[in-house]
């Protein structure tokens, strides 16, 4: 199904590393949902297996179809994303006061997880084919508007954590497209000055509580600060070599909430220790650097910007989840890509890497 002339250019090393991370995720989800009292596991593992199968198939489709064909239809893709987000906002499955999912029967689809990939596609088209010195303020404003619309809809679900993951995609592509860093610094200063306004009018009560508990989790150790405290305890208890597979007490006995999802890294640290963490973080670093190399050798701007955007979103989510698990960032509902339980996250991530492999494979085509 792939032209025989293109097959030698498939990056099997990157593909294999991504699959290895996904398999490690399955192993850790098994451990995080294992109940030692009944010697059974939760339903999350079978659902993750289904999502992984769907994700690999979807990623293969993204590899198979020329990425330039995909970018030619980016308008329809963007409108489709917005339609799904708006539908979810009003008619989605409500869980704990949030509407983030569409019930598909076998699993729940979270459209916002595909936002990073779609934003990368749109901005790659917006900023390709134009010289840097010819870009005007209107061109940069277009990119901001493209990101702002889904950002605001996702934030209203409410899901500020996933909405924020769109920003590094935008910033990375704009920087590579020629946006001056001094202007970015000015925007950062303005953002800091507007922090009191955002704190008062832009955040929900639970979001303020999360930030306050991050700064001082001991002020409510049994409430808002509980996750933060338990995550740090779990990470620190692993030591150098860890307690061993299925031997982690924090996750096995449910001291650590949602261990299979937001805090899968903490489970890894407790069971496999510092050495296991180094190994997994090394795999993530390799994936990020290998992906950036695909951007470097891309044959055109649209391919380069696309890979940069997808990689930036992936790297941001990895860094934030790890620092959150270590108690160095406020708790947000952000998965650790490929490792955490979350069907939509796995599918979207594998589709993104399908596009990265696509760009690298077609670097010699006309």
């Amino acid at each position: 199904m792939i032209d025989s002339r293109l097959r030698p250019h498939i990056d099997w090393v990157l593909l294999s590393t991504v699959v290895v991370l996904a398999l490690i995720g399955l192993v850790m989800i098994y451990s995080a949902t294992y109940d030692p009292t009944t010697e059974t596991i939760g339903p999350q593992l079978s659902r993750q297996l289904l999502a992984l199968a769907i994700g690999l198939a979807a990623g293969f489709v993204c590899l198979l179809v020329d990425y330039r064909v995909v970018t030619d239809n980016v308008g329809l893709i963007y409108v489709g994303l917005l339609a799904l987000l708006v539908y979810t906002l009003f008619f989605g499955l409500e869980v704990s006061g949030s509407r983030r999912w569409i019930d598909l029967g076998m699993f729940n689809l979270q459209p916002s997880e595909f936002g990073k990939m779609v934003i990368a596609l749109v901005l790659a088209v917006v900023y390709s084919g134009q010289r840097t010195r010819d870009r005007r303020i209107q061109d940069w404003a277009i990119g901001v508007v493209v990101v702002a619309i889904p950002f605001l809809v996702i934030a209203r679900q409410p899901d500020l954590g996933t909405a924020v993951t769109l920003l590094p995609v935008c910033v990375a592509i704009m920087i590579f497209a020629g946006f001056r860093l001094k202007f970015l610094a000015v925007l950062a200063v303005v953002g800091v000055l507007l922090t009191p306004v955002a704190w008062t009018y832009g955040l929900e009560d639970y979001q303020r509580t999360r930030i306050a508990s991050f700064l001082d989790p001991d002020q409510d150790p049994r409430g808002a600060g509980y996750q933060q405290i338990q995550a740090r305890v779990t990470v620190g208890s692993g030591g150098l070599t860890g307690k061993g597979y299925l031997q982690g007490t924090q996750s096995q006995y449910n001291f650590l909430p949602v261990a299979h999802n937001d805090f899968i890294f903490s489970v890894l640290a407790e069971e496999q220790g510092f050495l296991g963490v180094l190994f997994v973080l090394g795999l993530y670093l390799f994936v990020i650097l290998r992906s950036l190399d695909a951007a470097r050798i891309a044959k055109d701007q649209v391919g380069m910007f696309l890979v940069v955007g997808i990689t930036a979103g992936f790297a941001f989510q990895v860094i934030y989840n790890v620092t959150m698990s270590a108690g160095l960032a406020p708790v947000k509902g952000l998965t650790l890509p490929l490792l955490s339980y979350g069907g939509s996250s796995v599918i979207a991530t594998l589709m993104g890497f399908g596009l990265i492999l696509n760009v690298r494979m077609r670097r010699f085509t006309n």
Side-chain angles (χ1 to χ4, degrees), residues 30-31 33-42 252:
Y30 181 100
S31 176
T33 60
Y34 179 77
D35 185 348
T37 59
T38 61
E39 297 185 349
T40 59
I41 59 171
Q252 299 288 313

Side-chain angles (χ1 to χ4, degrees), residues 214 217-218 227-237 256 266 324-328:
F214 160 67
D218 292 325
Q227 284 183 309
Q228 195 89 47
I229 294 171
Q230 291 301 320
R232 287 191 301 186
V233 170
T234 306
V235 171
S237 65
L256 179 64
S266 300
M324 177 187 75
S325 298
L328 301 176

Side-chain angles (χ1 to χ4, degrees), residues 10 28 30 91 102 104-105 109 133 162 215 301 320 353:
I10 297 176
M28 298 315 302
Y30 181 100
F91 307 107
I102 299 174
L104 298 181
L109 179 70
R133 65 173 179 269
T162 303
L215 296 175
Q301 277 192 331
Y320 192 93
F353 279 108

Side-chain angles (χ1 to χ4, degrees), residues 74 77-78 80-82 84-85 100 109-124 146-151 153-154 157 159 161-170 173 306 309-310 313-314 317 344-345 347-349 351-352 355:
V74 73
I77 296 172
Y78 183 70
L81 172 70
L82 293 182
L84 285 173
L85 291 176
R100 306 176 185 179
L109 179 70
Q110 186 176 355
S112 57
E113 285 287 354
F114 299 87
K116 299 184 291 295
M117 179 178 62
V118 174
I119 291 300
L121 281 166
V122 176
L123 295 184
V146 164
V147 176
I149 297 174
F151 179 95
V153 177
I154 295 171
Q157 290 179 351
D159 188 4
T162 303
V164 168
T165 62
L166 304 182
L167 300 184
V169 178
C170 177
I173 293 179
L306 175 59
I310 293 173
F314 177 82
Q317 203 160 333
S344 298
S345 175
I347 295 170
T349 301
M351 289 177 68
L355 290 172

Side-chain angles (χ1 to χ4, degrees), residues 59-130:
F60 179 73
V61 172
C62 290
L63 171 65
L64 182 65
V65 180
D66 193 321
Y67 67 92
R68 288 160 293 193
V69 174
V70 179
T71 54
D72 286 343
N73 296 278
V74 73
L76 289 174
I77 296 172
Y78 183 70
V79 171
L81 172 70
L82 293 182
L84 285 173
L85 291 176
V86 172
Y87 176 86
T88 305
L89 179 62
F90 291 101
F91 307 107
L93 181 66
E94 184 174 352
V95 179
S96 301
S98 299
R99 294 185 183 273
R100 306 176 185 179
W101 302 272
I102 299 174
D103 187 358
L104 298 181
M106 291 188 296
F107 67 94
N108 298 326
L109 179 70
Q110 186 176 355
S112 57
E113 285 287 354
F114 299 87
K116 299 184 291 295
M117 179 178 62
V118 174
I119 291 300
L121 281 166
V122 176
L123 295 184
V125 173
V126 168
Y127 292 121
S128 63
Q130 186 182 26

